[in-house]
Amino acid sequence: MSWLLILSLVFSVALAVHVVRTGREFFWLWIILLLQPLGGLIYVVAVVAPDLFGGRTVRRIGGAAQSALDPHREYRQAKAAAAETPTAGALSRQAAAAAALDRHDEAEALYARAAQGPHADDPVLILGRAKALIELSRFAEALVLLERLHEVGGALDEGEEALAIARTLEGLGRTEEAERAYQRAIERLPGLESLARQAAFLARTGRRAEAREIVTELDRRIAKTHRQFRKEGRAWRDLAAEALG
């Protein structure tokens, strides 16, 4: 047996011990042991590195890797936690996980359930429910919540709030107001989503040349993005391109 094989085996066994001692999901054992040494490297990036370094970029890369391997993991854990202790926080976590899986009916119902009593004016719950209603094309109901959000002091993330308002106003046919809201969202919200949704809006309102310029800008930004996040970037770019037809 070559030294490389021995090192690979030792590396994999050490990581397998780490899985057991830290209480990680046991599917990691199969990944580590059956895909040597690649499986071990995936585990290091997804689990070990975020624990050791805790940097924001490392955590994002680790989270992306875990989501790709087990996209329902967070939903299962959140649902179990909410079933055991149905606090507003636990229900909100389950709602966010459901929304990430495009289960917007479930997310809307969970946010509504969480926003009771002393949590009725919680901006996170109000915005979360409004965003679920937008995905369900229930724009009039979303607008009522967004107006209430403004009354209670606004969302913790002004960019997310501005984007939700823009999408709602577009859905209600209030084009001029929607255009201003999209611009506010771009100024306040980092990332590619706001740009992509503005491009789609421009395409749907007949301003195709402007929309194509934004798609070109999206391509430029995606090319400079870390490869771990290019899939997400391309998804937003495809949303804009689809509106152009």
Side-chain angles (χ1 to χ4, degrees), residues 7-176:
L7 287 173
S8 176
L9 181 59
V10 171
F11 175 64
S12 299
V13 169
L15 293 178
V17 171
H18 185 274
V19 170
V20 175
R21 287 187 174 179
T22 58
R24 304 290 178 180
E25 293 85 349
F26 274 83
F27 72 80
W28 281 115
L29 290 176
W30 295 101
I31 292 172
I32 292 168
L33 297 176
L34 296 180
L35 301 176
Q36 298 180 45
L38 179 60
L41 293 174
I42 292 172
Y43 181 74
V44 168
V45 171
V47 177
V48 178
D51 284 349
L52 288 177
F53 303 108
R56 185 174 181 181
T57 300
V58 173
R59 287 198 303 271
R60 286 186 67 194
I61 293 173
Q66 289 199 24
S67 295
L69 289 166
D70 186 8
H72 292 79
R73 174 176 178 269
E74 168 62 12
Y75 176 79
R76 289 197 307 272
Q77 292 182 347
K79 185 176 182 179
E84 182 176 348
T85 311
T87 62
L91 292 169
S92 177
R93 179 188 173 192
Q94 184 185 349
L101 296 173
D102 293 329
R103 300 179 180 180
H104 301 295
D105 277 313
E106 179 182 355
E108 190 273 328
L110 286 165
Y111 278 123
R113 182 181 167 194
Q116 301 294 324
H119 303 288
D121 292 334
D122 187 320
V124 173
L125 302 179
I126 295 173
L127 181 58
R129 188 182 177 196
K131 289 168 68 175
L133 289 167
I134 291 167
E135 297 297 341
L136 297 169
S137 298
R138 292 162 58 182
F139 300 110
E141 295 172 75
L143 184 60
V144 171
L145 285 176
L146 291 169
E147 289 173 343
R148 183 176 167 199
L149 181 62
H150 180 73
E151 292 173 0
V152 300
L156 302 178
D157 188 325
E158 293 183 359
E160 289 284 352
E161 181 181 356
L163 186 58
I165 292 170
R167 296 182 65 196
T168 298
L169 292 172
E170 181 188 359
L172 293 171
R174 295 163 60 172
T175 305
E176 292 184 4

